[in-house]
Amino acid sequence: MSADANCLFCKIVRREIPSTIVFENDHALAFRDIHPAAKTHVLVIPKKHIIGIAHAEPADAPTMGELLLAARKVAEQEGLGDGGYRLVINNGADAGQSVLHLHVHVLGGRPLAWPPG
Ligand code: AMP
């Protein structure tokens, strides 16, 4: 499993940095965002170090599928299955990506405006 020694989220995968983990399988890890933007705000990441969606390779397709299914599982686990939720992937500077390890934000528990600001 490729990993980046200095990557914040790889360190969370390796339990070198504390986090509140809510889901884990062979491919993905989900933990609560440290600065929640909604009542429920969980980050779902591939265990493999992929910088962002723009860096995913065709060979990462199964991992990408697992990531989305993990995000759905987290949303359901958090009780958002009926009311609804939003999945967000920020990519690059203009989108505000601040951690260079691909992550899906799972947001819910309040009405979410569209389009986002
Ligand atoms: P993004 O702006 O899409 O790159 O999102 C990065 C997210 O990671 C932000 O919502 C941060 O609050 C969150 N974050 C940064 N460091 C941590 C951490 N140590 N544990 C949990 N979430 C974090």
Side-chain angles (χ1 to χ4, degrees), residues 16-83:
E16 293 171 9
I17 288 178
S19 69
T20 305
I21 292 169
V22 298
F23 175 81
E24 179 171 23
N25 66 17
D26 288 348
H27 310 276
L29 183 75
F31 52 92
R32 298 202 186 281
D33 195 292
I34 202 165
H35 295 124
K39 189 174 170 199
T40 297
H41 188 174
V42 174
L43 301 176
V44 187
I45 68 170
K47 288 187 170 177
K48 176 183 177 184
H49 181 73
I50 299 171
I51 292 173
I53 192 67
H55 290 77
E57 307 277 356
D60 294 320
T63 301
M64 296 298 101
E66 292 286 349
L67 194 63
L68 279 181
L69 290 174
R72 185 188 76 179
K73 189 175 271 290
V74 166
E76 291 173 353
Q77 192 176 286
E78 294 287 318
L80 303 174
D82 290 336

Side-chain angles (χ1 to χ4, degrees), residues 80-101:
L80 303 174
D82 290 336
Y85 53 90
R86 182 170 295 161
L87 306 182
V88 173
I89 298 175
N90 293 320
N91 188 84
D94 280 358
Q97 185 181 5
S98 61
V99 178
L100 298 182
H101 182 127

